[in-house]
Amino acid sequence: MAIFEYAPAPESRAVVDLQPAYGLFINGEFTDGSGPTFKTVNPATEEPLAEIATATSDDVDRAVQAARKAFGVWSALPGAERAKYLFRIARIIQERARELAVLESLDNGKPIRESRDVDLPLVAAHFFYYAGWADKLEYAGFGRRTTNGHSGTKPLGVAGQVIPWNFPLLMLAWKIAPALACGNTVVLKPAETTPLSALWFADICRQADLPPGVVNIVTGAGETGAAVVAHPDVNKVAFTGSTEVGRIIARTVAGTDKKLTLELGGKAANIVFEDAALDQAVEGIVNGIFFNQGHVCCAGSRLLVQESIHDELLAALKRRMATLRVGDPLDKNTDVGAINSAAQLAKIRELSELGEAEGAERWSAPCELPERGFWFAPTVFTGVAQSHAIARDEIFGPVLSVLTFRTPAEAVEKANNTPYGLSAGIWTEKGSRILWMADRLRAGVVWANTFNKFDPASPFGGYKESGYGREGGLLGLEAYLDV
């Protein structure tokens, strides 16, 4: 039989007009930062994309002051008026979706197919969803109307938000949309390796005529984020990122009256029973761990498979992994893109080598990796014990650890044997078993016969070291209201 090969199908870079340098976005204007500039690079080629300003504590103070001043105007607007701005932002995002998708893939390394078909539609959907809530907060169930007819809920004030590099624009939408809908103003710090889409969003705010100071974007490394979190005039802190940094933030906020939500790491179990639809489960496993190169906090990085189907499932999984196309993120045929940074690639390699040293058997998909850039082949480990580091630690890369179980009770015990508790997946044809398992799994989100499905109306968040608080849905509103 003839072997069919995919011809290159590159998306054009010409739709993105990159400037050589970008400043901070404070009070509706781009301004220079006081700190040294740094380069953001394309992880697929290591090519510098732009020079980015670094915000010092003085710059963060300017941004918070601008947000505090704007809060008086923004919070006083009727909800229906705030909604108009959010609807306008959502529509502009849709109009500029192709440009934003290319930008996200350039700066982050994820395949254009994912940024175009997953990230951008969800970004717009979050702004549409929370725009719809802006004039209905009194009906959200968080507070009664007062005697003078006003809603019993009110905004918190200035929200300081720090987002990660794995879904830069989507995490921005998760945080900014509910904050603005509730009447808060925002100072947001994007990750230092992926600042461009947040700066593009600042331009969208200007295009939507958002009042100056309502949204402020400060770029920089960890010191900039720490300054945002610790600022005394910030009323609400929202962070998505590592558990290690989450602990530091929790200590910083402790003893203050700041509200805090943390969405941290995960080591999700994807549990496959012997009665599961095998081909469907294989697709779910691949989507669960290799989507976005495994740079997903809720990735199904532990595969728990019932012993009776272990060999059959692994054979099918390896056949499917052998068809994954690793390469140019801007090629529409690419399944797995570039690792986001040299530092992250080093961490993935270190933990994978540790997995081999501890006795697990490693198998990587046969694929030719590009010479330049940061790349790692999709990898699966079998013969993994619960004590192995690759079964305990968050690798945050395209690496799957396979464990086995015999009974549903054993599956629950192994799935819950982790300091994390963000997500889990169940694959079975029995609805009663799905409900039995979901009731016992200590995970904030449990998917049944699917994985990595998101909706702005559905709350997302975890237990234990995966953080606390919820983003999305009604609970995502509560995080930005004084109730």
Side-chain angles (χ1 to χ4, degrees):
M1 187 178 76
I3 296 174
F4 291 95
E5 298 223 355
Y6 283 87
E11 174 61 275
S12 172
R13 275 189 60 164
V15 297
V16 173
D17 181 21
L18 278 171
Q19 303 301 311
Y22 290 91
L24 314 173
F25 185 70
I26 296 175
N27 204 31
E29 297 292 338
F30 282 99
T31 177
D32 293 337
S34 305
T37 61
F38 63 95
K39 285 183 172 64
T40 184
V41 302
N42 180 347
T45 63
E46 300 178 59
E47 159 209 0
L49 295 172
E51 289 276 345
I52 308 296
T54 294
T56 63
S57 56
D58 289 341
D59 297 319
V60 169
D61 186 54
R62 283 196 295 132
V64 174
Q65 286 181 25
R68 175 60 61 194
K69 183 179 177 184
F71 175 67
V73 176
W74 184 248
S75 61
L77 282 178
E81 291 302 310
R82 292 199 301 273
K84 289 178 185 177
Y85 286 103
L86 291 171
F87 278 125
R88 197 178 299 161
I89 288 169
R91 285 193 294 270
I92 294 170
I93 287 168
Q94 287 183 321
E95 289 164 8
R96 298 178 64 174
R98 184 183 176 199
E99 170 193 357
L100 290 164
V102 171
L103 179 74
E104 200 79 316
S105 289
L106 277 175
D107 204 23
N108 170 277
K110 65 175 66 191
I112 185 68
R113 205 155 46 87
E114 292 178 6
S115 54
R116 178 195 66 196
D117 298 344
V118 180
D119 291 30
L120 263 299
L122 277 171
V123 169
H126 271 82
F127 279 97
F128 277 123
Y129 175 78
Y130 283 112
W133 271 113
D135 63 344
K136 304 173 187 69
L137 297 176
E138 63 192 87
Y139 306 110
F142 300 129
R144 298 176 182 171
R145 289 179 71 87
T146 57
T147 51
N148 60 5
H150 292 300
S151 170
T153 59
K154 58 184 184 206
L156 295 167
V158 176
Q161 303 172 329
V162 181
I163 59 172
W165 46 259
N166 57 339
F167 292 94
L169 197 57
L170 182 57
M171 292 298 101
L172 176 149
W174 279 27
K175 297 204 169 16
I176 288 183
L180 298 194
C182 293
N184 303 280
T185 53
V186 165
V187 177
L188 179 134
K189 197 220 63 104
E192 62 268 32
T193 60
T194 54
L196 291 179
S197 54
L199 295 166
W200 240 252
F201 180 79
D203 186 56
I204 287 172
C205 290
R206 292 204 299 189
Q207 192 180 343
D209 292 325
L210 194 69
V214 173
V215 168
N216 304 273
I217 310 288
V218 291
T219 48
E223 296 81 6
T224 305
V228 172
V229 169
H231 197 285
D233 206 21
V234 165
N235 307 103
K236 156 78 183 179
V237 173
F239 171 76
T240 297
S242 71
T243 297
E244 179 187 8
V245 176
R247 287 196 189 101
I248 295 169
I249 289 173
R251 283 196 290 267
T252 302
V253 171
T256 72
D257 60 357
K258 294 176 183 178
K259 252 184 128 171
L260 176 65
T261 50
L262 297 172
E263 197 262 278
L264 309 175
K267 194 71 180 175
N270 213 353
I271 306 162
V272 183
F273 286 91
E274 61 188 358
D275 64 338
L278 204 66
D279 290 341
Q280 182 185 351
V282 166
E283 289 304 312
I285 294 162
V286 167
N287 176 48
I289 184 59
F290 302 126
F291 172 66
N292 199 33
Q293 299 77 253
H295 298 333
V296 187
C297 46
C298 56
S301 53
R302 288 183 299 151
L303 173 61
L304 269 60
V305 55
Q306 201 153 15
E307 270 187 13
S308 56
I309 58 163
H310 173 269
D311 294 350
E312 184 184 3
L313 181 69
L314 260 292
L317 176 60
K318 288 178 180 178
R319 282 197 303 272
R320 179 67 181 91
M321 285 173 62
T323 69
L324 293 174
R325 294 178 295 279
V326 181
D328 180 8
L330 288 185
D331 191 320
K332 301 181 192 77
N333 294 321
T334 296
D335 296 306
V336 180
I339 303 302
N340 180 254
S341 66
Q344 186 59 31
L345 179 59
K347 179 188 174 187
I348 295 167
R349 283 176 173 163
E350 180 188 348
L351 282 166
S352 297
E353 287 161 9
L354 183 56
E356 283 187 285
E358 289 183 326
E361 185 179 336
R362 177 176 179 171
W363 184 89
S364 294
C367 58
E368 193 175 325
L369 300 180
E371 291 181 7
R372 287 186 63 80
F374 314 125
W375 305 92
F376 196 90
T379 297
V380 59
F381 279 95
T382 51
V384 178
Q386 292 186 82
S387 58
H388 287 174
I390 54 172
R392 295 194 323 268
D393 298 342
E394 185 179 38
I395 300 172
F396 221 62
V399 180
L400 178 66
S401 300
V402 182
L403 300 95
T404 59
F405 68 91
R406 292 180 180 176
T407 65
E410 184 186 357
V412 169
E413 188 177 338
K414 285 186 172 179
N416 288 341
N417 183 22
T418 172
Y420 299 109
L422 191 54
S423 65
I426 306 166
W427 299 84
T428 175
E429 68 171 15
K430 293 182 173 62
S432 58
R433 180 180 287 156
I434 290 169
L435 295 173
W436 187 91
M437 292 287 293
D439 193 43
R440 288 160 176 78
L441 291 170
R442 292 291 290 167
V445 178
V446 179
W447 285 293
N449 294 323
T450 188
F451 210 89
N452 277 340
K453 286 286 186 285
F454 300 96
D455 188 281
S458 178
F460 182 86
Y463 291 104
K464 300 186 285 186
E465 290 188 16
S466 290
Y468 46 81
R470 293 293 181 266
E471 293 183 307
L474 270 176
L475 293 176
L477 283 173
E478 185 181 17
Y480 289 95
L481 290 169
D482 181 358
V483 294

